[in-house]
Amino acid sequence: EAQVTQNPRYLITVTGKKLTVTCSQNMNHEYMSWYRQDPGLGLRQIYYSMNVEVTDKGDVPEGYKVSRKEKRNFPLILESPSPNQTSLYFCASSRVLEPYEQYFGPGTRLTVT
Amino acid sequence: QKEVEQDPGPLSVPEGAIVSLNCTYSNSAFQYFMWYRQYSRKGPELLMYTYSSGNKEDGRFTAQVDKSSKYISLFIRDSQPSDSATYLCAGYTGGFKTIFGAGTRLFVKA
């Protein structure tokens, strides 16, 4: 089954404790992206990657890091989480020539206390 | 001003009604316009996309783009309770960035 998976699905952590949210896709997509979804603000892009070792900032990259060492994986790293990073996070993937046709993962709900 | 604006709703309609969901946008560089459906506690799923202006139909769903007025619409015919979800409109400029609206919550009552 073609899918995007994220882990963990739910996470409660404390300020300053480094964490990683994993994202993996099995569709051989070149393009992957991370979004956060907040009430009233919709989905906002954090980082995206056009292919292995190629990443770029989205609209809200502050406080986040990413890496793309393998085509199928695109982890999101919060090195020092803060309460304003409490949000619902989605990973998405698509063919690089069709980034308007994205497939989304199930989401990771993160709470930072 | 947000680049893509949507009325958050909620919009409540009886089963069988025609639903009209709308967005306005300000970015003239948008080339593709998308509609995603998001069920509660799920990730968004692409319903359909259109390139530039015009209409596109897929079953009970019709997407319409009017670039002259910067207006995007999604029509759902014969709405079903299973259509109850949040609908997100989005625009894509061609620079690997997609801008989403905040979503409209739709409830279809049986």
Side-chain angles (χ1 to χ4, degrees), chain A residues 11-59:
Chain A
L11 179 59
I12 300 174
T13 190
V14 296
T15 299
K17 186 176 181 182
K18 180 179 179 179
L19 66 93
T20 299
V21 184
T22 65
C23 172
S24 183
Q25 50 92 7
N26 63 0
M27 294 170 278
N28 202 35
H29 286 163
E30 299 88 3
Y31 180 83
M32 297 186 74
S33 186
W34 276 103
Y35 296 87
R36 59 178 290 173
Q37 187 175 38
D38 301 290
L41 297 177
L43 284 163
R44 292 180 294 166
Q45 192 173 42
I46 303 170
Y47 269 96
Y48 62 93
S49 170
M50 293 80 81
N51 214 323
V52 175
E53 303 289 6
V54 183
T55 63
D56 205 350
K57 296 178 180 178
D59 294 319

Side-chain angles (χ1 to χ4, degrees), chain A residues 9-10 31 35 37 40-43 45 48 50 57-59 88 90 96 99-107, chain B residues 2-3 32-34 36 38 41-46 48-49 86 88 92 94-103:
Chain A
R9 293 289 314 278
Y10 302 90
Y31 180 83
Y35 296 87
Q37 187 175 38
L41 297 177
L43 284 163
Q45 192 173 42
Y48 62 93
M50 293 80 81
K57 296 178 180 178
D59 294 319
L88 181 58
F90 288 101
V96 71
Y100 45 83
E101 194 170 351
Q102 294 184 64
Y103 294 80
F104 281 80
Chain B
K2 293 181 183 177
E3 289 185 76
Y32 288 85
F33 301 89
M34 297 80 78
Y36 284 82
Q38 184 176 19
R41 297 188 175 83
K42 302 284 188 182
E45 57 176 330
L46 180 68
M48 54 201 307
Y49 68 87
T86 296
L88 310 170
Y92 175 70
F96 293 107
K97 291 189 178 181
T98 300
I99 307 297
F100 286 84

Side-chain angles (χ1 to χ4, degrees), chain B residues 11-78:
Chain B
L11 178 62
S12 184
V13 301
E15 182 177 359
I18 297 174
V19 176
S20 172
L21 301 168
N22 306 296
C23 292
T24 58
Y25 66 93
S26 59
N27 191 334
S28 299
F30 284 151
Q31 300 174 359
Y32 288 85
F33 301 89
M34 297 80 78
W35 283 97
Y36 284 82
R37 178 176 61 197
Q38 184 176 19
Y39 290 115
S40 181
R41 297 188 175 83
K42 302 284 188 182
E45 57 176 330
L46 180 68
L47 272 177
M48 54 201 307
Y49 68 87
T50 51
Y51 176 71
S52 195
S53 278
N55 293 359
K56 186 173 184 179
E57 188 173 320
D58 184 0
R60 296 184 295 111
F61 298 89
T62 299
Q64 198 171 74
V65 176
D66 182 347
K67 294 191 85 173
S68 63
S69 59
K70 294 188 172 67
Y71 204 76
I72 314 165
S73 300
L74 178 71
F75 299 96
I76 307 175
R77 291 184 298 280
D78 188 24

